[in-house]
Amino acid sequence: MADNCIFCKIAAGQIPSVKIYEDEKVIAFLDVGPVSDGHTLVIPKQHYTKVHECPPEILASITSVLPKVAGAVFAALAVDGYNVLCNNGRAAGQLVEHLHFHIIPRKTGDGVFSHWPAFKYPQGKAEELAEKIRAKL
Ligand code: AMP
Ligand code: ZN
């Protein structure tokens, strides 16, 4: 357990949460600051901060639970869709430094995430970036 980590404390049952699902490795509970009704968080019980720091087998445990929980949220709330979102690092909006996946129920036209700042690469830039990334695989 990481010092002063609120999600480690939730996983250990030391602070309360509104639980949706729990198994040996994973727990899902309602977000206390939802952006829509039923906004759910799915976390590993063990403390990791970011996706690339988490062992693949732990990520596999999380991703094997995601369809069950997302499907239940989708069916129970009669929404039109949902986002699965994982913020990694403060720059990406991560405030709680314990890996977590948001399941955010969505209704058509709800205005959640209304801005998606898409742009087009100039000639050659995509290939240049891909080469840099592939070199680190
Ligand atoms: P992020 O910005 O991706 O780190 O999101 C952290 C999320 O955790 C936010 O949506 C918070 O509302 C949520 N959160 C923080 N503390 C708790 C808590 N004690 N129980 C449930 N959700 C929490
Ligand atoms: Zn933690």
Side-chain angles (χ1 to χ4, degrees), residues 58-124:
I58 301 287
L59 280 170
S61 306
I62 299 168
T63 52
S64 64
V65 161
L66 276 175
K68 185 196 285 284
V69 177
V73 167
F74 186 69
L77 304 178
V79 287
D80 302 313
Y82 56 90
N83 297 99
V84 175
L85 179 70
C86 178
N87 299 324
N88 290 263
R90 191 55 66 93
Q94 185 176 19
L95 298 176
V96 175
E97 292 186 333
H98 181 127
L99 181 65
H100 53 279
F101 289 79
H102 297 258
I103 299 172
I104 301 174
R106 300 295 305 277
K107 289 211 161 125
T108 304
D110 62 13
V112 178
F113 309 130
S114 54
H115 183 56
W116 185 262
F119 65 93
K120 294 216 180 329
Y121 286 126
Q123 185 76 28

Side-chain angles (χ1 to χ4, degrees), residues 5-56:
C5 174
I6 195 146
F7 286 0
C8 280
K9 288 182 181 156
I10 286 176
Q14 291 172 359
I15 64 166
S17 65
V18 180
K19 229 178 275 176
I20 300 288
Y21 173 87
E22 180 168 13
D23 65 27
E24 197 194 328
K25 298 242 158 48
V26 177
I27 183 164
F29 51 93
L30 292 184
D31 193 305
V32 281
V35 299
S36 63
D37 277 352
H39 180 167
T40 299
L41 300 173
V42 182
I43 71 167
K45 286 186 171 176
Q46 275 181 282
H47 183 92
Y48 301 98
T49 300
K50 297 183 179 72
V51 164
H52 71 273
E53 296 164 354
C54 185

